[in-house]
Amino acid sequence: MSYSTADSLRPVTLDDVRGAQKMLTGVARVTAMESSRHLSQLAGSPVHLKCENLQRTGSFKLRGAYVRIAGLLPEERAAGVVAASAGNHAQGVALASALLGVHATVFMPKGAPLPKISATREYGAEVRLHGQVVDETLAAAQEYAAETGAVFIHPFDHPDIIAGQGTVGLEILDQCPEVGTIVVGIGGGGLAAGIAVAVKAIRPDVRIVGVQAEGAAAYPPSLAAGRPVSVRNPVTMADGIKVGRPGDVPFGLIEELVDEVRTVGEDQLSAALLLCLERAKLVVEPAGAAPVAALLAEPGAFAGPVVAVLSGGNVDPVLMQRVLRHGMSAQGRYLAVRLRLTDRPGALATLLGVLSVVDANVLDVSHVRTDPRLGLTEAEVELHLETKGPAHCSEVGHALREAGYTVID
């Protein structure tokens, strides 16, 4: 299986995806599909989660990387492969290369999370840290390929990659034959394009909905322009779909086969990640939670049964902590409040007693006594509280005012 970006508008076919599926037998897992009662109740129809976060290396990327590298000629394999990635593609290329006996060099940004760097090395790749952003890392990898003859393995802009990712679509049809809508995150577009090729060829009535982060949404303007266009300085916590420009190959397929591309905000992404952890007991990275975020944003917009593809679970623990707090805040489960009180012994204890009565958990207290805004006998306290939701936040504010405290908005 070998193609170039100069091939026809639809260089990937159902036969290619089926061939990739045979190639991946015993290599990639047929990942589980879990029902979500909570999301089903919200959507008014069955919702299932396709758990690619449980795939080997923690994401779908192994599928495409293995198919691409397995399709190389003997002399190409001998020259080795090179890739650039901040995480998931790096690990997919590293493991695929190790399984196929090919030397892999992976360029990663200097600021890449240490767990992802360590995992890539443990899978057998030579890791080189270069640049601060993926664009710089990508340029370094391509320069290395030109100098050494190593084959550059693009993360999404190659038909072999798309065919490999399309095997997710075949599994969805096998596991949920009655599926009505598939919701999938989009970065460069390889996964969505592959799923669309496979599913639309067998079930053209299935609706395919792509989801992008608002701060890195290159597909809506590209689809409007009829060609890939770049988004400058994409910004999102969902680094797995933070791609500034659609791939040329997946763009043509998505333009033809994907029914709709939606966008979600950072609050929605973090709330979705929190839901996956609390309700489904699944660790999912922000990019992998994008389809769930779209369901939360407008649950009645998707004809069921719905399958949401959780594309990956490789989340840095530090980022996980930040995102979970962000998600809890977005759901009204954190409350930051500033208030004035009389600066006298026992005043803070009295305040904490009021909060205890309304069952608000104090996470952090900042106590300021010297500030030009304060009177001689005043102090200002900033509290970070864990609450039970928006109604509880209102109850806490009401209790503080009833107790005579001046709450500063």
Side-chain angles (χ1 to χ4, degrees):
M1 200 184 306
S2 181
Y3 305 92
S4 72
T5 56
D7 286 328
S8 64
L9 182 64
R10 293 188 58 189
V12 186
T13 68
L14 176 60
D15 286 343
D16 297 324
V17 180
R18 284 177 168 157
Q21 188 177 47
K22 291 179 181 178
M23 191 179 294
L24 289 167
T25 301
V27 175
R29 294 173 182 153
V30 176
T31 51
M33 185 175 290
E34 301 287 342
S35 298
S36 172
R37 184 173 64 178
H38 180 72
L39 288 173
S40 297
Q41 290 174 341
L42 286 177
S45 61
V47 176
H48 307 284
L49 306 175
K50 176 60 173 169
C51 300
E52 281 297 289
N53 59 309
L54 302 179
Q55 183 57 262
R56 296 177 71 179
T57 75
S59 88
F60 70 95
K61 289 288 191 177
L62 171 65
R63 298 173 183 264
Y66 187 90
V67 173
R68 173 76 172 101
I69 297 169
L72 296 178
L73 299 172
E75 57 269 27
E76 292 175 318
R77 289 198 194 191
V81 299
V82 61
S85 168
N88 288 347
H89 181 58
Q91 293 174 68
V93 168
L95 179 55
S97 299
L99 293 172
L100 292 164
V102 177
H103 178 74
T105 302
V106 177
F107 285 78
M108 303 182 76
K110 293 179 180 178
L114 290 177
K116 294 185 177 181
I117 295 173
S118 298
T120 303
R121 284 182 171 140
E122 288 171 8
Y123 287 128
E126 175 188 347
V127 174
R128 299 192 181 192
L129 302 180
H130 184 92
Q132 300 300 323
V133 296
V134 174
D135 285 346
E136 295 173 353
T137 307
L138 182 65
Q142 291 173 324
E143 182 179 346
Y144 176 89
E147 291 175 351
T148 65
V151 179
F152 178 66
I153 307 299
H154 199 284
F156 51 81
D157 204 12
H158 192 282
D160 288 354
I161 296 285
I162 293 169
Q165 321 304 28
T167 59
V168 176
L170 294 180
E171 290 179 16
I172 290 172
L173 293 180
D174 183 58
Q175 294 168 315
C176 184
E178 70 281 12
V179 60
T181 305
I182 297 173
V183 191
V184 55
I186 297 182
L191 177 61
I195 289 175
V197 167
V199 172
K200 289 290 189 177
I202 299 171
R203 286 276 312 280
D205 58 304
V206 175
R207 186 169 178 80
I208 310 290
V209 179
V211 184
Q212 292 208 286
E214 287 177 357
Y219 265 90
S222 296
L223 292 169
R227 58 180 176 80
V229 298
S230 298
V231 171
R232 296 185 63 184
N233 301 319
V235 177
T236 176
M237 70 175 77
D239 59 347
I241 54 174
K242 189 170 74 173
V243 178
R245 182 186 184 279
D248 293 324
V249 180
F251 175 79
L253 296 166
I254 287 173
E255 184 179 40
E256 182 177 355
L257 300 173
V258 171
D259 297 282
E260 180 186 4
V261 176
R262 292 175 168 245
T263 60
V264 292
E266 301 298 285
D267 285 353
Q268 293 164 330
L269 286 168
S270 53
L273 186 148
L274 181 61
L275 183 145
C276 289
L277 186 63
E278 286 190 326
R279 297 300 183 96
K281 314 306 178 189
L282 292 168
V283 175
V284 182
E285 62 189 274
V292 175
L295 285 166
L296 292 176
E298 195 175 354
F302 305 92
V306 179
V307 173
V309 181
L310 307 182
S311 58
N314 291 319
V315 57
D316 179 58
V318 175
L319 176 61
M320 171 69 91
Q321 184 180 39
R322 288 168 47 204
V323 171
L324 289 179
R325 295 196 65 165
H326 187 80
M328 293 180 74
S329 178
Q331 290 187 348
R333 292 164 59 182
Y334 275 139
L335 175 65
V337 59
R338 285 190 303 129
L339 48 83
R340 300 269 174 89
L341 49 77
T342 303
D343 188 15
R344 58 176 174 77
L348 182 59
T350 302
L351 169 62
L352 296 178
V354 173
L355 295 172
S356 177
V357 170
V358 292
D359 202 24
N361 185 32
V362 179
L363 300 174
D364 189 41
V365 178
S366 176
H367 202 179
V368 178
R369 289 188 174 89
T370 55
D371 191 290
R373 299 169 300 164
L374 299 175
L376 186 61
T377 61
E378 287 184 320
E380 185 173 291
V381 174
E382 182 172 347
L383 300 156
H384 292 265
L385 310 173
E386 183 180 4
T387 60
K388 300 173 184 177
H392 191 207
C393 288
S394 298
E395 181 185 352
V396 171
H398 177 74
L400 291 171
R401 291 183 176 91
E402 284 289 302
Y405 293 102
T406 302
V407 179
I408 305 168
D409 294 326

